[in-house]
């Protein structure tokens, strides 16, 4: 039976309306991948830009794929030093599998499939009942069309301590949808309408977090979601993370007048060209 989502909407309403000096955590709306529909998707993504999609088998795949991942990435990928002192190593894939033994087993493939299934289910739900389309050279792309024909950019990170604080400032990813599966040892924060930043709370074990990117404004029914990353890692501790970003098809005709930042905090826009290194 699909899990009820009404209690989640109530928590979300309380979170948004909170007037405490310290912003309350934001409870991301949850839905099972086989139960998501247009109302659920739009209720979650249109006002805030975030939804968590539960996918069967994700918890087991996540545990297996992330086990030993940080140790493996010490000898692979690109390294960067973040502003809070966190060291990060990254491997990337563009439309195919990862060219790395660190993320090339059955569990990793199940995790990647879960992220894609969640994105595809959200796109189908957002198309239900109609909406905008993105014009290409020879076709019109709806949400599902963008997911099917767009570019898929994947990355795997390992963040290494010691670290404590904001590792990545508030930003909006340039894609249409971004899917994330996160490890322990940090938190994402979302900037909600009005400018307040709230820690995101979702079922990290069993759900794929979906955020709307800046290009979602071309298709409607979703709000680009500014978000930042804070880490709390002691020395010799690490946090793995997987991400999938859906970019518009290569022939999409983009109206540059729609590329703008409208949030009060004016978070920066992250180009897809550097998404893997973010």
């Amino acid at each position: 039976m699909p899990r009820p989502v009404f209690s989640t909407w109530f928590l979300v309403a309380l979170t948004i309306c909170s007037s405490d000096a310290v912003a309350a955590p934001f409870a991301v709306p949850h839905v099972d991948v086989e139960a998501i529909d247009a109302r659920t998707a739009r209720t979650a993504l249109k006002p805030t830009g975030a939804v968590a999609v539960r996918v069967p088998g994700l918890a087991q795949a996540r545990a297996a794929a992330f086990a030993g991942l940080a140790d493996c990435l010490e000898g692979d990928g690109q390294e960067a030093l973040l502003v809070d002192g966190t060291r990060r190593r990254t491997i990337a894939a563009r439309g195919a599998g990862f060219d790395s033994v660190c993320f090339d087993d059955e569990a990793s493939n199940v995790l990647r499939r879960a992220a894609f299934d969640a994105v595809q289910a959200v796109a189908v739900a957002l198309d239900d009942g109609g909406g905008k389309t993105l014009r290409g050279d020879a076709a019109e792309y709806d949400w599902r069309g963008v997911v099917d024909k767009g570019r898929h950019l994947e990355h795997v990170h390992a963040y290494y301590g010691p670290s404590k604080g904001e590792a990545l400032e508030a930003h909006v990813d340039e894609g249409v949808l971004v899917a994330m599966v996160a490890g322990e040892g940090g938190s994402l924060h979302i900037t909600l309408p009005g400018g307040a930043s709230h820690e995101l709370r979702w079922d990290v074990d069993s759900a794929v977090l979906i955020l709307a990117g800046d290009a979602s404004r071309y298709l409607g029914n979703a709000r680009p979601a500014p978000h930042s990353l804070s880490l709390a890692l002691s020395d010799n501790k690490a946090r793995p993370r997987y991400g999938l970003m859906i970019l518009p098809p290569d022939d999409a005709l983009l109206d540059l007048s729609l590329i703008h930042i409208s949030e009060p905090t004016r978070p920066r826009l992250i180009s897809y060209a550097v998404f893997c290194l973010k």
Side-chain angles (χ1 to χ4, degrees):
M1 291 290 291
R3 294 179 175 85
V5 297
F6 300 105
S7 61
T8 303
W9 305 135
F10 180 69
L11 289 174
V12 172
L14 287 179
T15 300
I16 295 175
C17 295
S18 174
S19 58
D20 295 341
V22 177
F26 176 78
V28 181
H30 284 66
V31 65
D32 292 343
V33 68
E34 69 273 10
I36 191 167
D37 56 17
R39 178 181 178 274
T40 303
R42 295 181 186 185
T43 301
L45 288 169
K46 195 167 185 177
T48 61
V51 67
V53 182
R54 295 189 183 94
V55 182
L58 177 60
Q60 296 87 344
R62 172 183 175 273
F66 284 173
L69 178 61
D71 290 338
C72 186
L73 287 178
E74 284 281 25
D76 199 357
Q78 295 181 311
E79 182 165 319
L81 188 66
L82 305 185
V83 294
D84 71 331
T86 302
R87 186 169 58 89
R88 181 194 61 203
R89 295 194 70 87
T90 301
I91 56 175
R94 295 171 175 83
F98 286 86
D99 186 20
S100 170
V101 296
C102 297
F103 208 71
D104 190 30
D105 57 10
E106 181 60 25
S108 302
N109 291 332
V110 171
L111 188 153
R112 294 174 66 208
R113 170 54 62 180
F116 179 78
D117 287 347
V119 165
Q120 191 172 58
V122 168
V124 170
L126 288 171
D127 279 333
D128 188 19
K132 299 179 182 178
T133 57
L134 179 58
R135 187 161 60 93
D137 286 339
E140 297 282 335
Y141 300 107
D142 55 11
W143 281 96
R144 175 67 181 272
V146 169
V147 171
D148 288 346
K149 302 298 183 182
R151 286 172 287 169
H152 297 178
L153 183 59
E154 299 173 83
H155 64 279
V156 171
H157 295 315
Y159 301 91
Y160 302 89
S163 63
K164 186 175 182 180
E166 188 176 77
L168 293 172
E169 64 183 5
H171 61 275
V172 178
D173 294 312
E174 195 172 313
V176 175
L177 292 171
V178 178
M180 303 180 191
V181 179
E184 307 295 335
S187 60
L188 281 173
H189 296 254
I190 188 171
T191 304
L192 294 178
S197 178
H198 299 253
E199 180 184 350
L200 287 170
R201 294 282 178 84
W202 81 97
D203 182 358
V204 295
D205 289 329
S206 303
V208 178
L209 178 66
I210 305 289
L211 298 179
D214 194 71
S216 65
R217 66 180 73 251
Y218 294 112
L219 297 168
N221 298 324
R223 164 192 175 265
H227 55 284
S228 60
L229 173 65
S230 295
L231 296 170
L233 298 170
S234 59
D235 196 11
N236 298 320
K237 296 296 183 180
R239 177 183 188 257
R241 181 173 175 271
Y242 167 85
L244 164 66
M245 183 165 69
I246 307 297
L247 301 165
D250 289 335
D251 69 336
L253 304 176
L254 305 182
D255 181 356
L256 296 182
S257 68
L258 293 180
I259 296 292
H260 66 281
I261 299 298
S262 58
E263 300 297 331
T265 53
R266 298 192 65 79
R268 60 195 176 97
L269 180 68
I270 295 292
S271 169
Y272 68 83
V274 298
F275 180 71
C276 282
L277 304 180
K278 188 182 67 176

